[in-house]
Coordinates of all heavy atoms in Angstrom, one line a residue:
E192 N 10.2 -11.8 -18.3 CA 11.7 -12.0 -18.4 C 12.4 -12.0 -17.1 O 13.3 -12.8 -16.9 CB 12.2 -10.8 -19.3 CG 13.7 -10.8 -19.5 CD 14.1 -9.5 -20.3 OE1 13.3 -9.0 -21.1 OE2 15.3 -9.1 -20.1
F193 N 11.9 -11.3 -16.1 CA 12.5 -11.3 -14.8 C 11.9 -12.2 -13.8 O 12.3 -12.3 -12.7 CB 12.5 -9.8 -14.2 CG 13.5 -8.9 -14.8 CD1 13.2 -8.2 -15.9 CD2 14.8 -8.8 -14.2 CE1 14.2 -7.4 -16.5 CE2 15.7 -8.0 -14.8 CZ 15.5 -7.3 -15.9
G194 N 10.8 -12.9 -14.3 CA 10.1 -13.9 -13.4 C 9.3 -13.2 -12.3 O 9.1 -13.8 -11.2
V195 N 8.8 -12.0 -12.6 CA 8.1 -11.2 -11.6 C 6.6 -11.5 -11.8 O 6.1 -11.4 -12.9 CB 8.3 -9.7 -11.7 CG1 7.4 -8.9 -10.8 CG2 9.8 -9.4 -11.3
P196 N 5.9 -12.0 -10.8 CA 4.4 -12.2 -10.9 C 3.7 -10.9 -11.1 O 4.1 -9.9 -10.6 CB 4.0 -12.9 -9.6 CG 5.1 -12.5 -8.6 CD 6.3 -12.2 -9.4
Y197 N 2.6 -11.0 -11.8 CA 1.8 -9.8 -12.1 C 0.3 -10.2 -12.3 O 0.0 -11.3 -12.5 CB 2.3 -9.1 -13.3 CG 2.1 -9.9 -14.6 CD1 1.0 -9.8 -15.3 CD2 3.1 -10.8 -15.0 CE1 0.8 -10.6 -16.5 CE2 2.9 -11.6 -16.1 CZ 1.7 -11.5 -16.8 OH 1.6 -12.3 -17.9
E198 N -0.5 -9.2 -12.2 CA -1.9 -9.3 -12.7 C -2.2 -8.1 -13.5 O -1.8 -7.0 -13.2 CB -2.9 -9.3 -11.5 CG -3.0 -10.6 -10.7 CD -4.0 -10.5 -9.6 OE1 -4.9 -9.7 -9.7 OE2 -3.9 -11.3 -8.7
A199 N -3.0 -8.2 -14.6 CA -3.4 -7.1 -15.4 C -4.9 -7.0 -15.4 O -5.6 -8.0 -15.5 CB -2.9 -7.3 -16.8
H200 N -5.4 -5.8 -15.4 CA -6.8 -5.5 -15.3 C -7.1 -4.2 -16.1 O -6.3 -3.4 -16.3 CB -7.3 -5.3 -13.9 CG -7.1 -6.4 -13.0 ND1 -7.9 -7.5 -12.9 CD2 -6.1 -6.7 -12.1 CE1 -7.4 -8.4 -12.0 NE2 -6.3 -7.9 -11.5
I201 N -8.4 -4.1 -16.6 CA -8.9 -2.9 -17.2 C -9.8 -2.3 -16.2 O -10.9 -2.8 -15.8 CB -9.6 -3.1 -18.5 CG1 -8.7 -3.7 -19.5 CG2 -10.3 -1.8 -19.0 CD1 -9.3 -4.1 -20.8
F202 N -9.4 -1.1 -15.6 CA -10.3 -0.3 -14.8 C -10.1 1.2 -15.2 O -9.0 1.7 -15.4 CB -9.9 -0.4 -13.3 CG -10.1 -1.7 -12.7 CD1 -9.0 -2.3 -12.0 CD2 -11.3 -2.4 -12.8 CE1 -9.2 -3.6 -11.4 CE2 -11.4 -3.6 -12.2 CZ -10.4 -4.2 -11.5
S203 N -11.2 1.8 -15.4 CA -11.2 3.2 -15.9 C -11.4 4.2 -14.7 O -12.2 3.9 -13.8 CB -12.3 3.5 -16.9 OG -12.5 4.9 -17.1
A204 N -10.6 5.2 -14.6 CA -10.7 6.2 -13.5 C -12.1 6.9 -13.7 O -12.6 7.4 -12.7 CB -9.6 7.2 -13.6
H205 N -12.6 6.9 -14.9 CA -13.9 7.7 -15.1 C -15.1 6.8 -15.3 O -16.2 7.1 -14.8 CB -13.7 8.5 -16.3 CG -12.6 9.5 -16.2 ND1 -11.4 9.3 -16.8 CD2 -12.5 10.6 -15.5 CE1 -10.6 10.2 -16.5 NE2 -11.2 11.1 -15.7
R206 N -14.9 5.6 -15.9 CA -16.1 4.7 -16.2 C -16.3 3.7 -15.1 O -17.4 3.2 -14.9 CB -15.9 4.1 -17.6 CG -16.0 5.2 -18.7 CD -15.8 4.6 -20.0 NE -14.5 4.0 -20.2 CZ -13.5 4.6 -20.7 NH1 -13.6 5.8 -21.1 NH2 -12.3 3.9 -20.9
T207 N -15.2 3.3 -14.4 CA -15.3 2.3 -13.3 C -14.5 2.8 -12.1 O -13.6 2.1 -11.6 CB -14.8 0.9 -13.8 OG1 -13.5 1.0 -14.2 CG2 -15.7 0.3 -14.9
P208 N -14.8 3.9 -11.6 CA -14.0 4.5 -10.5 C -14.0 3.7 -9.2 O -13.0 3.6 -8.5 CB -14.5 5.9 -10.3 CG -15.9 5.8 -10.8 CD -15.9 4.8 -12.0
A209 N -15.2 3.1 -8.9 CA -15.3 2.3 -7.7 C -14.4 1.1 -7.7 O -13.7 0.7 -6.8 CB -16.7 1.9 -7.4
E210 N -14.4 0.4 -8.9 CA -13.6 -0.8 -9.0 C -12.1 -0.5 -9.0 O -11.3 -1.2 -8.4 CB -13.9 -1.5 -10.3 CG -15.3 -2.2 -10.3 CD -16.5 -1.2 -10.6 OE1 -16.2 0.0 -10.8 OE2 -17.6 -1.6 -10.6
A211 N -11.7 0.6 -9.7 CA -10.3 1.1 -9.6 C -9.9 1.4 -8.2 O -8.8 1.0 -7.8 CB -10.1 2.3 -10.6
A212 N -10.7 2.1 -7.5 CA -10.4 2.5 -6.1 C -10.3 1.2 -5.2 O -9.4 1.1 -4.4 CB -11.4 3.4 -5.6
E213 N -11.2 0.3 -5.4 CA -11.2 -0.9 -4.6 C -9.9 -1.7 -4.8 O -9.3 -2.2 -3.9 CB -12.4 -1.8 -4.9 CG -12.5 -3.1 -4.1 CD -13.7 -3.9 -4.5 OE1 -14.4 -3.7 -5.5 OE2 -13.9 -4.9 -3.7
F214 N -9.5 -1.9 -6.1 CA -8.3 -2.6 -6.4 C -7.1 -1.9 -5.7 O -6.3 -2.6 -5.1 CB -8.0 -2.6 -7.9 CG -6.7 -3.3 -8.3 CD1 -6.7 -4.6 -8.4 CD2 -5.6 -2.5 -8.4 CE1 -5.5 -5.3 -8.7 CE2 -4.3 -3.2 -8.6 CZ -4.3 -4.5 -8.8
A215 N -7.0 -0.6 -5.8 CA -5.9 0.1 -5.2 C -5.9 0.0 -3.7 O -4.9 -0.2 -3.1 CB -5.9 1.6 -5.6
R216 N -7.1 0.2 -3.1 CA -7.2 0.1 -1.6 C -6.7 -1.3 -1.1 O -6.2 -1.4 0.0 CB -8.6 0.4 -1.1 CG -8.9 1.9 -1.1 CD -10.2 2.2 -0.3 NE -11.3 1.4 -0.8 CZ -12.1 1.8 -1.8 NH1 -11.9 3.0 -2.4 NH2 -13.1 1.1 -2.2
E217 N -7.0 -2.3 -1.8 CA -6.8 -3.7 -1.4 C -5.5 -4.3 -1.9 O -5.1 -5.4 -1.6 CB -8.0 -4.6 -1.7 CG -9.3 -4.2 -1.1 CD -10.5 -5.0 -1.5 OE1 -10.3 -5.8 -2.4 OE2 -11.6 -4.7 -1.0
A218 N -4.8 -3.5 -2.7 CA -3.6 -4.1 -3.4 C -2.5 -4.6 -2.5 O -2.0 -5.7 -2.6 CB -3.0 -3.0 -4.4
A219 N -2.2 -3.8 -1.4 CA -1.1 -4.3 -0.5 C -1.5 -5.6 0.2 O -0.7 -6.5 0.2 CB -0.8 -3.2 0.5
E220 N -2.7 -5.6 0.7 CA -3.1 -6.9 1.4 C -3.3 -8.0 0.4 O -3.3 -9.2 0.9 CB -4.4 -6.6 2.2 CG -5.6 -6.3 1.4 CD -6.8 -5.9 2.3 OE1 -6.6 -5.0 3.1 OE2 -7.9 -6.5 2.2
N221 N -3.4 -7.8 -0.9 CA -3.5 -8.8 -1.9 C -2.2 -9.2 -2.5 O -2.1 -9.9 -3.5 CB -4.5 -8.4 -3.0 CG -5.9 -8.4 -2.5 OD1 -6.3 -9.2 -1.6 ND2 -6.8 -7.6 -3.0
G222 N -1.1 -8.7 -1.9 CA 0.2 -9.2 -2.3 C 0.9 -8.4 -3.3 O 2.0 -8.8 -3.9
F223 N 0.4 -7.2 -3.6 CA 1.1 -6.4 -4.6 C 2.1 -5.5 -3.9 O 2.0 -5.1 -2.8 CB 0.1 -5.5 -5.4 CG -0.9 -6.3 -6.2 CD1 -2.1 -6.7 -5.7 CD2 -0.5 -6.6 -7.5 CE1 -2.9 -7.4 -6.5 CE2 -1.4 -7.4 -8.3 CZ -2.6 -7.8 -7.8
G224 N 3.2 -5.2 -4.7 CA 4.3 -4.3 -4.2 C 4.4 -3.0 -5.0 O 4.9 -2.0 -4.5
V225 N 3.9 -3.0 -6.2 CA 4.0 -1.9 -7.1 C 2.7 -2.0 -8.0 O 2.3 -3.1 -8.3 CB 5.2 -1.9 -8.0 CG1 5.3 -0.7 -8.9 CG2 6.5 -2.0 -7.1
I226 N 2.3 -0.8 -8.4 CA 1.2 -0.8 -9.4 C 1.6 0.1 -10.6 O 2.1 1.2 -10.4 CB -0.1 -0.2 -8.8 CG1 -0.6 -1.0 -7.6 CG2 -1.2 -0.1 -9.9 CD1 -1.7 -0.4 -6.8
I227 N 1.4 -0.5 -11.8 CA 1.6 0.3 -13.0 C 0.2 0.7 -13.5 O -0.7 -0.2 -13.6 CB 2.3 -0.6 -14.1 CG1 3.7 -0.9 -13.6 CG2 2.3 0.2 -15.4 CD1 4.5 -1.9 -14.5
A228 N 0.1 1.9 -13.9 CA -1.2 2.4 -14.5 C -1.0 3.0 -15.8 O -0.3 4.0 -15.9 CB -1.9 3.4 -13.5
A229 N -1.6 2.5 -16.9 CA -1.4 2.9 -18.2 C -2.7 3.5 -18.7 O -3.7 2.9 -18.7 CB -1.0 1.8 -19.1
A230 N -2.6 4.8 -19.2 CA -3.8 5.4 -19.8 C -3.5 6.5 -20.7 O -2.4 7.1 -20.6 CB -4.7 6.0 -18.6
G231 N -4.3 6.8 -21.7 CA -4.2 7.8 -22.6 C -5.2 8.9 -22.4 O -6.0 8.9 -21.4
M232 N -5.2 9.9 -23.2 CA -6.1 11.0 -23.2 C -6.1 11.7 -21.8 O -5.0 12.2 -21.4 CB -7.5 10.6 -23.6 CG -7.5 10.1 -25.0 SD -9.1 9.7 -25.7 CE -9.7 11.3 -26.0
A233 N -7.2 11.8 -21.1 CA -7.2 12.5 -19.8 C -6.2 11.9 -18.8 O -5.6 12.6 -17.9 CB -8.6 12.6 -19.2
A234 N -6.0 10.6 -18.8 CA -5.0 9.8 -18.1 C -4.9 10.1 -16.6 O -3.9 10.2 -16.0 CB -3.6 10.1 -18.7

């Protein structure tokens, strides 16, 4: 609605921790300005 570019991914803090960490570490250099993280249960 606001014309903001985004990317959505599934990464688990417990089942794919390396991939989640890599995404976060490289996010700024990959053009991200904010990260939204949605999770239930242990969250």
Side-chain angles (χ1 to χ4, degrees):
E192 178 184 330
F193 282 89
V195 173
Y197 66 90
E198 283 183 22
H200 301 278
I201 297 175
F202 295 129
S203 168
H205 303 101
R206 294 178 297 267
T207 59
E210 291 81 359
E213 179 182 12
F214 177 87
R216 279 192 306 271
E217 296 175 359
E220 66 190 53
N221 287 330
F223 293 94
V225 181
I226 300 172
I227 295 172
M232 299 183 77

